[in-house]
Amino acid sequence: GAGVSQSPRYKVTKRGQDVALRCDPISGHVSLYWYRQALGQGPEFLTYFNYEAQQDKSGLPNDRFSAERPEGSISTLTIQRTEQRDSAMYRCASSLMGGGTGELFFGEGSRLTVL
Amino acid sequence: EDQVTQSPEALRLQEGESSSLNCSYTVSGLRGLFWYRQDPGKGPEFLFTLYSAGEEKEKERLKATLTKKESFLHITAPKPEDSATYLCAVRNNNDMRFGAGTRLTVKP
């Protein structure tokens, strides 16, 4: 596609439910990143992939968070047993080059609200 | 541990009043320092990449510079449409880490 696409744009869920956030990167981009951004703060790194391989998941807050990119394109960030503190904007970005180079192109984000 | 610190947190300028934003960093294996612009409700938009100390990049009223410990984003004669949050990020061998940003407001 023309840009990074994320869905849903808005998700409201009840505490304890699982949620899945989807990211469709720019076609041909090797690297895909997930960030979480609180209001008034910069993006906080969660995890990233080169092709289908998860290179670094050190930013995932705990084991309720997981991500996959099974075919090296679309990625899903899953949050199990959501808690109110998980409420945030979740942003996906992709980069043409792998190996830690190149700028990131961001999607519009998925705003998660946990009640 | 890698760190990115931006200052000031917020900056209010009059139209035409030039200033600079600061990004201080400590990172092992720097593979690039990036500046992004973020408008309210939008994702960050790429502005510049700097790779080595002494390097400079320019785009319209913006100029980014890099030393071994910090980067500056100079804004010359800003206009109201330059109002946004400016984010600095550093890429190490593994990932890209962002600062908290500087929220710039330019008054007409």
Side-chain angles (χ1 to χ4, degrees):
Chain A
V4 178
S5 178
Q6 292 187 246
S7 61
R9 290 291 309 279
Y10 303 92
K11 176 71 176 178
V12 180
T13 190
K14 291 184 178 180
R15 184 165 49 94
Q17 297 293 306
D18 298 350
V19 297
L21 307 177
R22 173 189 163 116
C23 173
D24 193 350
I26 295 172
S27 178
H29 276 201
V30 170
S31 297
L32 184 148
Y33 293 73
W34 283 101
Y35 288 87
R36 179 169 67 177
Q37 189 171 22
L39 201 61
Q41 296 295 313
E44 174 194 5
F45 171 79
L46 296 177
T47 186
Y48 93 98
F49 296 82
N50 279 342
Y51 299 104
E52 73 282 359
Q54 192 169 21
Q55 299 293 316
D56 184 351
K57 57 181 181 179
S58 63
L60 296 176
N62 51 60
D63 60 9
R64 295 187 297 106
F65 287 72
S66 63
E68 63 174 9
R69 192 186 185 198
E71 298 180 359
S73 179
I74 292 170
S75 177
T76 303
L77 177 69
T78 301
I79 309 172
Q80 296 179 311
R81 305 181 302 281
T82 53
E83 301 177 5
Q84 287 186 327
R85 59 179 171 154
D86 299 333
S87 297
M89 177 71 81
Y90 289 83
R91 297 199 183 275
C92 174
S94 69
S95 177
L96 177 62
M97 293 178 279
T101 58
E103 70 266 28
L104 302 186
F105 295 84
F106 281 84
E108 292 295 297
S110 291
R111 163 97 41 210
L112 174 65
T113 302
V114 183
L115 302 176
Chain B
E1 183 179 315
D2 297 346
Q3 271 195 317
V4 183
T5 304
Q6 292 189 246
S7 61
E9 287 186 16
L11 181 62
R12 297 172 67 93
L13 299 173
Q14 287 296 127
E15 184 172 2
E17 180 186 1
S18 301
S19 188
S20 296
L21 314 181
N22 177 264
C23 172
S24 298
Y25 65 92
T26 54
V27 63
S28 55
L30 179 71
R31 299 188 67 175
L33 185 140
F34 296 76
W35 283 97
Y36 289 82
R37 169 188 171 131
Q38 186 171 26
D39 292 297
K42 301 289 188 181
E45 181 183 331
F46 171 75
L47 292 173
F48 302 109
T49 311
L50 301 166
Y51 290 103
S52 56
E55 189 176 359
E56 297 183 353
K57 294 270 179 78
E58 282 190 69
K59 181 180 179 180
E60 297 180 354
R61 294 176 292 282
L62 300 177
K63 182 168 83 171
T65 61
L66 181 65
T67 72
K68 288 186 177 180
K69 294 186 177 181
E70 58 190 350
S71 176
F72 291 94
L73 184 65
H74 307 279
I75 303 177
T76 302
K79 298 182 177 181
E81 53 262 41
D82 295 323
S83 297
T85 295
Y86 290 85
L87 296 164
C88 168
V90 294
R91 189 191 282 276
N92 59 17
N93 290 324
N94 292 319
D95 54 49
M96 185 177 286
R97 306 273 173 161
F98 283 81
T102 293
R103 189 171 62 255
L104 175 66
T105 305
V106 182
K107 295 288 192 178

